[in-house]
Amino acid sequence: MTAPHVSGAADLRRPDLGDTCSGYLGSYRAELSQAVARGEAGVAVARRHTRIMDGLLGALFCAADAAARDAGMHPQGRLALVAVGGYGRGLVGLGSDVDVLFLCDDPEEPYVRALAEGLLYPLWDLGVDIGHVVRGVDETLTLAQEDIRTATTLIDLRPVAGDRALPEELRRGGRKRIFEPHIEGFLDALEQDTAERHRRFGRSLYLLEPEVKLGRGGLRDLDVARWAARARWDATGPEDYLERGVLLAREVEQVEAARELLWRVRNLLHASAGRRNDRLTFPDQEEIADALGFVDGVTLGVEHFMQAYYRHARVVAHTVERILERARPRLRRSPASKRSLGDQTLLFDGMITLERSADLDPRPELALRLYTRSAELDVPVYPYARDVVARRVADPAFRESLRDSPEAQALFLELLVHGGAVSQRPRSAFAEAHEVGLLAAMLPEFEPLVGRVQYDAYHLYTTDVHAVFAVDRLRELRSGAVLPDLGLAARAMAEAPRLAPLFLAVLLHDVGKSRGVKGHAEYGAGIAQKVARRLGLSAVDALHVAWLVREHGSLFHWAVRRDTHDPDTIRDLVAAVGDPDRLRDLYLLTVAVMGTINPTAMTSWKARALEDLYLSLNAAFEQQAASAGVARVDGAARAAAIREEVLVGFVGDAGQDRLEAFLNDMPDRYVLANPVDEIRTHARAARDRAGVGEVVHLLPGSGADLWQVLVLADDRPGLLSDVSAVLAARRLSVVSAQIYTRPSGERREAVDLFLVRPEGGGSTPPDPRTLARIQKDLAQMGRGALDAAELLARRSSSPRWSRRPGPRVETDVTVDNSASSRFTVIDVIAADRPALLHQIAEVLRLEGVSIALAKVNTEGMRAVDVFYVVDERGQKLRDAPRLARLQRAIEERVFQPERPSRPPELS
């Protein structure tokens, strides 16, 4: 919208008018802020703000009219000041802009331009963000036929001052020329515009930091529902929705509750920022949760708040989809487009629906039959039928009869196991059944997970959506799809004999989180066992489901935090798992769950670590069966096979003896943890180094924004501390690391692999000059010419605006002498930050312990680092005071990140 330009406009501006307006607006803004702080209703505050702006603009309209007339300009035609957008809807946020339309007979008339300028200038002087345009009725209607944004203003418009017949003429013209004759085209354009907005602001309801206004499930979606209902039925509010059958009374109540929460959140965001701000960031979430009265209990208050937010956003998203579909006129289909499928279901126009005579009350299982048919034929459920199901499952009596139906129980398990994979459709049939509420209807234990967020920036999806995605992933593996790095899982899935217990355990793996995160696995196991029995599983299968839920995090914990090549560890894990069937199902559950936490959670390194552990434990079970005794299993046979495969690629290479020596010198855990091509690359780099200085290589990582840094150097105390300091100084964040040593003549050579991403993200690889600087820094540190504190002090600080705080991360440091027979194991869990790995490694160096094995992982904003260490004699640390001192030193560094990089010498 462009400002009009009128010569001599300054003559129409009066200082006393500006002072009056400033006092009026200032007092009311303060009142609105106080109302928000007192916790007044969000919609009521937005409506009061609208009335305040009406009073201000109405007064300015009269003053501008008088000034124009005093200047000798008189109206020749009609003129109206019309509110549009949110202002037209009567809902203005504290920091929102105000949009107006100067609707007139002749936009070029001098009086019109003078009045517009006389009204706008005082508002600009006051800092009011006002959007405006001057147009006639015909021009507006013509533009609305081409532009969906203009078309929606015809629905939102509301007269503020001037001739009130003009806005009504424009509204009637919109119905006659656009909405009534072209409703399908209007709805198509509205859907397309909505989809594009969702693409820009996040298609998912469950973004970690959602956009309250423009994101999916936000306030703009409520506007879209209103536009569709007004264009189709001329419905102006909840009463009209009920009268015209657009929504049920319960649905209207849910929508109005969602509108209220969204407006309260938006008002709090604007009040806190002192301006328009519609992104609900992590710090905002904590502040607003507190302001709305959500308190910490078994779970965090902020998690309760975000669960409420997502549930309301889900209501909004479903409502807009429902109204857009219902608003479309029903077209008559030819008989050829219908085909009976039996059991009161039809294939109609390429979709599954119910026969007209179908009644869900006496046969509630038909609701599930719709979705099993959908999965079987890989076609969607007809919107009308989906609506029928969604409305019925909201009735508690219907839910109870559904759960009590043996046929429904059988159909639920069928849908769970065979519920379709995600192919051309955005969701599986199973996921679509969850969208309409069937999962929670069948499993009331699942209801508390709906919309529940785990406040850790690692779990990208709400607990219920993550569970559904994990089930879909398991189904993908069952279909034979070999996902990246998951070929073994696909083969293991093909061997699984009993699918229902496995699928049910994946669905319910987090069911215990209904009472909090701590201890949720044990609590969830009891729930899962009861659910399994209620669904008709045998007592044995129900116990298996319970065991899988109880242990759902164990395999991943062992793989990434324990030395799985220690025979004692393998022996202990074999005893903990019990039998190969349990192992296979636990491995498959872990792959499905880990792979759907977020798009990057299952790195290729983690996938190989899980695969390595699975194969080692499986081999141990096979040896137990063969020898009926204790067996030592370290994956040596598989490692030997991989070495043979690597050797094939060395044929014809120079220095083949040095390549083979590297391969033979490296431990089995290295061979099992890395792809064949990467091992060959590492071997060639070690051959070319030939014992000269520190060598650094950059290799592609397992993701678009991940890179592998290979460091080859003579091993020495403190090398890990130095390398991690250099990487931090060069703004490379360590995602995971592998630390190895190999004999090299009289010395030992370090072979260290770091998976890194540039701080701030991005898929551009680090500058080649960065590698040269890393190599130079390491050489200087090795000679003692540079220390870590000096290097990190050169690191320029990030701009304040770029330091985005996230959820709190619980910090924990454990020093354990029972986890390994050969090493002392140190577990560190802390909020990830630059130089954290260096700070921990430096403490270990100063304490005089050597790192035999390090497992470094970053999970969202949480670092999980594990170090297997020995003392100066290569033995476990057995001195109790020394162990306590070591733990205190690490805790001090982890809990006080703002201290200088180099800690004081330890006593």
Side-chain angles (χ1 to χ4, degrees):
M1 296 183 180
T2 58
H5 175 71
V6 178
S7 60
D11 296 337
L12 304 178
R13 299 170 64 189
R14 295 163 42 196
D16 58 329
L17 179 63
D19 292 342
T20 301
C21 292
S22 178
Y24 172 89
L25 198 57
S27 63
Y28 276 118
R29 280 176 170 168
E31 180 184 316
L32 290 172
S33 295
Q34 292 167 7
V36 172
R38 287 194 304 269
E40 289 194 17
V43 172
V45 170
R47 285 178 176 157
R48 192 190 311 175
H49 194 187
T50 301
R51 293 194 295 271
I52 292 167
M53 297 309 300
D54 281 351
L56 178 60
L57 268 64
L60 285 174
F61 184 91
C62 293
D65 172 68
R69 291 174 187 270
D70 288 346
M73 288 174 277
H74 298 279
Q76 302 301 309
R78 297 173 298 170
L79 171 65
L81 177 65
V82 181
V84 294
Y87 183 35
R89 292 186 292 276
L91 295 168
V92 180
L94 268 65
S96 298
D97 54 0
V98 174
D99 292 324
V100 296
L101 165 65
F102 292 94
L103 189 63
C104 56
D105 287 330
D106 182 6
E108 299 301 320
E109 184 183 341
Y111 166 81
V112 172
R113 290 184 290 162
L115 185 141
E117 191 171 74
L119 183 145
L120 293 169
Y121 266 109
L123 293 173
W124 290 332
D125 291 342
L126 291 171
V128 176
D129 189 359
I130 183 163
H132 62 281
V133 69
V134 182
R135 285 201 194 108
V137 172
D138 285 342
E139 179 188 2
T140 304
L141 289 172
T142 300
L143 185 60
Q145 290 174 313
E146 304 295 332
D147 176 51
I148 185 64
R149 307 293 175 83
T150 306
T152 59
T153 65
L154 305 182
I155 297 173
D156 290 333
L157 59 84
R158 181 176 58 84
V160 176
D163 190 323
R164 292 181 176 262
L166 264 179
E168 180 59 24
E169 182 181 323
L170 180 60
R171 192 188 72 81
R172 288 198 307 269
R175 291 214 64 81
K176 183 176 180 180
R177 289 173 53 177
I178 298 172
F179 303 132
E180 290 179 356
H182 306 295
I183 186 63
E184 285 278 0
F186 173 76
L187 294 174
D188 286 343
L190 198 55
E191 284 190 340
Q192 184 177 354
D193 186 69
T194 301
E196 172 60 22
R197 172 171 50 83
H198 288 168
R199 186 191 66 77
R200 287 185 289 118
F201 290 96
R203 291 189 180 95
S204 174
L205 279 170
Y206 308 107
L207 295 177
L208 293 176
E209 296 182 320
E211 229 280 352
V212 175
K213 179 183 177 183
L214 298 174
R216 185 167 179 243
L219 287 166
R220 176 62 82 236
D221 278 1
L222 282 174
D223 299 336
V224 171
R226 178 179 183 273
W227 294 331
R230 187 71 183 272
R232 178 69 172 88
W233 299 286
D234 203 21
T236 59
E239 296 80 7
D240 290 339
Y241 294 163
L242 291 173
E243 182 180 335
R244 290 162 173 77
V246 180
L247 294 174
L248 300 176
R250 170 185 52 78
E251 293 168 335
V252 169
E253 291 175 4
Q254 291 175 339
V255 169
E256 292 308 305
R259 187 194 310 276
E260 174 58 28
L261 179 74
L262 291 173
W263 268 108
R264 287 199 70 184
V265 170
R266 193 181 191 213
N267 288 339
L268 286 164
L269 285 171
H270 286 198
S272 175
R275 56 179 173 80
R276 181 173 58 191
N277 170 37
D278 297 321
R279 177 70 70 180
L280 188 52
T281 64
F282 288 124
D284 292 323
Q285 291 170 19
E286 295 191 0
E287 290 181 14
I288 291 176
D290 184 60
L292 295 181
F294 291 89
V295 298
D296 291 349
V298 176
T299 59
L300 296 175
V302 68
E303 292 184 352
H304 283 299
F305 161 59
M306 290 307 296
Q307 181 173 29
Y309 177 89
Y310 288 131
R311 287 190 176 203
H312 285 298
R314 187 173 184 169
V315 167
V316 172
H318 290 178
T319 298
V320 70
E321 292 171 1
R322 185 174 298 154
I323 289 181
L324 282 170
E325 178 58 37
R326 291 176 187 169
R328 294 188 179 278
R330 296 296 171 203
L331 302 179
R332 293 186 177 182
R333 306 287 180 177
S334 67
S337 67
K338 294 195 300 184
R339 178 164 63 91
S340 175
L341 300 173
D343 207 3
Q344 296 188 287
T345 60
L346 293 171
L347 183 63
F348 176 69
D349 196 33
M351 291 180 277
I352 299 293
T353 189
L354 294 167
E355 292 181 352
R356 286 187 179 275
S357 60
D359 186 354
L360 295 185
D361 284 331
R363 296 198 60 195
E365 67 276 2
L366 286 178
L368 285 160
R369 175 66 71 192
L370 269 176
Y371 287 91
T372 58
R373 294 277 195 227
S374 173
E376 177 186 350
L377 299 177
D378 194 23
V379 295
V381 173
Y382 196 72
Y384 164 77
R386 187 174 65 232
D387 243 13
V388 170
V389 172
R391 286 181 162 180
R392 294 306 300 129
V393 298
D395 179 7
F398 180 85
R399 286 172 171 243
E400 185 175 354
S401 63
L402 183 70
R403 290 193 296 271
D404 290 342
S405 165
E407 188 175 352
Q409 295 164 6
L411 285 170
F412 179 81
L413 290 176
E414 179 184 343
L415 182 63
L416 175 67
V417 176
H418 306 285
V422 178
S423 53
Q424 301 303 315
R425 299 163 64 183
R427 292 184 292 265
S428 68
F430 184 74
E432 289 174 1
H434 175 50
E435 286 280 315
V436 298
L438 267 173
L439 266 64
M442 278 297 297
L443 308 180
E445 298 86 353
F446 198 74
E447 176 68 25
L449 305 185
V450 176
R452 189 185 189 282
V453 61
Q454 190 165 326
Y455 196 63
D456 61 3
Y458 181 55
H459 291 77
L460 185 60
Y461 310 106
T462 55
T463 308
D464 60 320
V465 170
H466 167 48
V468 171
F469 283 177
V471 168
D472 284 347
R473 173 59 53 85
L474 199 62
R475 209 176 294 111
E476 284 183 281
L477 292 172
R478 182 171 179 267
S479 72
V482 180
L483 304 171
D485 302 307
L486 296 181
L488 177 63
R491 292 193 296 275
M493 192 69 207
E495 299 169 0
R498 301 188 326 278
L499 296 177
L502 172 59
F503 274 87
L504 187 59
V506 170
L507 178 66
L508 299 178
H509 75 275
D510 272 343
V511 71
K513 285 184 178 177
S514 59
R515 60 172 282 175
V517 175
K518 289 189 175 180
H520 77 278
E522 184 66 36
Y523 179 65
I527 296 174
Q529 185 174 356
K530 292 176 183 176
V531 170
R533 291 295 286 155
R534 191 174 71 236
L535 290 175
L537 270 64
S538 68
V540 171
D541 282 347
L543 284 171
H544 185 53
V545 172
W547 183 84
L548 288 171
V549 171
R550 182 181 298 110
E551 300 296 336
H552 75 263
S554 298
L555 197 70
F556 178 72
H557 173 93
W558 298 331
V560 301
R561 297 173 64 181
R562 289 294 170 256
D563 181 7
T564 55
H565 295 88
D566 182 342
D568 292 338
T569 300
I570 293 295
R571 190 176 297 110
D572 292 344
L573 298 187
V574 164
V577 172
D579 64 65
D581 282 343
R582 278 183 163 187
L583 171 65
R584 181 196 57 250
D585 283 1
L586 185 60
Y587 170 65
L588 290 168
L589 179 147
T590 305
V591 167
V593 168
M594 278 302 305
T596 50
I597 288 176
N598 66 59
T600 61
M602 180 64 89
T603 65
S604 59
W605 286 11
K606 291 177 183 177
R608 284 194 295 275
L610 283 170
E611 182 177 314
D612 176 29
L613 177 56
Y614 171 71
L615 290 172
S616 295
L617 292 175
N618 200 50
F621 281 121
E622 290 177 356
Q623 282 194 328
Q624 274 189 349
S627 61
V630 177
R632 169 176 176 168
V633 179
D634 57 7
R638 182 164 173 258
I642 293 174
R643 284 188 169 91
E644 289 296 324
E645 186 177 355
V646 172
L647 286 173
V648 172
F650 290 154
V651 174
D653 275 11
Q656 192 162 347
D657 57 334
R658 294 196 298 277
L659 294 172
E660 293 181 6
F662 174 88
L663 187 59
N664 293 328
D665 291 341
M666 295 300 288
D668 285 352
R669 67 169 60 91
Y670 162 81
V671 175
L672 294 168
N674 292 278
V676 168
D677 289 344
E678 289 184 14
I679 294 173
R680 291 170 182 156
T681 300
H682 301 162
R684 290 170 182 135
R687 173 201 62 192
D688 297 340
R689 175 180 177 253
V692 179
E694 293 78 8
V695 175
V696 180
H697 292 269
L698 181 70
L699 307 170
S702 56
D705 63 338
L706 297 175
W707 303 90
Q708 186 184 109
V709 175
L710 167 65
V711 177
L712 300 168
D714 289 346
D715 194 25
R716 57 180 172 79
L719 179 61
L720 176 60
S721 172
D722 289 347
V723 174
S724 53
V726 170
L727 294 176
R730 299 305 173 190
R731 297 195 175 281
L732 296 175
S733 177
V734 178
V735 175
S736 58
Q738 300 178 54
I739 308 300
Y740 306 102
T741 57
R742 61 179 287 249
S744 180
E746 297 180 355
R747 302 183 303 276
R748 292 178 63 81
E749 181 179 44
V751 181
D752 295 347
L753 299 166
F754 299 86
L755 193 65
V756 302
R757 62 162 51 95
E759 290 181 18
S763 57
T764 303
D767 190 303
R769 290 174 295 181
T770 299
L771 293 179
R773 293 185 184 119
I774 291 173
Q775 195 159 305
K776 179 181 178 182
D777 291 341
L778 281 176
Q780 289 183 317
M781 295 175 89
R783 297 195 304 269
L786 177 68
D787 66 23
E790 178 185 350
L791 181 64
L792 288 169
R794 299 176 188 170
R795 173 189 159 101
S796 60
S797 61
S798 302
R800 185 172 298 276
W801 51 262
S802 70
R803 303 175 205 162
R804 302 186 64 224
R808 294 179 298 242
V809 174
E810 184 176 350
T811 302
D812 183 49
V813 177
T814 304
V815 178
D816 187 357
N817 252 348
S818 63
S820 171
S821 62
R822 296 182 295 156
F823 305 108
T824 296
V825 181
I826 303 170
D827 291 279
V828 180
I829 300 175
D832 189 35
R833 61 176 184 266
L836 175 65
L837 179 58
H838 157 70
Q839 291 165 347
I840 300 170
E842 184 68 357
V843 170
L844 298 178
R845 182 187 71 82
L846 292 171
E847 182 63 17
V849 300
S850 298
I851 301 171
L853 172 65
K855 294 200 168 189
V856 176
N857 289 283
T858 302
E859 301 172 353
M861 294 183 174
R862 183 176 75 158
V864 181
D865 299 344
V866 183
F867 305 88
Y868 285 70
V869 302
V870 293
D871 62 14
E872 299 85 345
R873 299 166 298 167
Q875 303 294 317
K876 292 174 67 169
L877 280 67
R878 302 187 183 277
D879 180 57
R882 185 179 186 184
L883 288 170
R885 186 172 69 249
L886 176 61
Q887 180 165 344
R888 285 197 305 270
I890 296 174
E891 288 174 343
E892 184 180 358
R893 292 303 297 124
V894 171
F895 280 103
Q896 299 184 36
E898 299 303 322
R899 293 179 51 193
S901 172
R902 187 169 183 175
E905 295 293 327
L906 299 174
S907 57

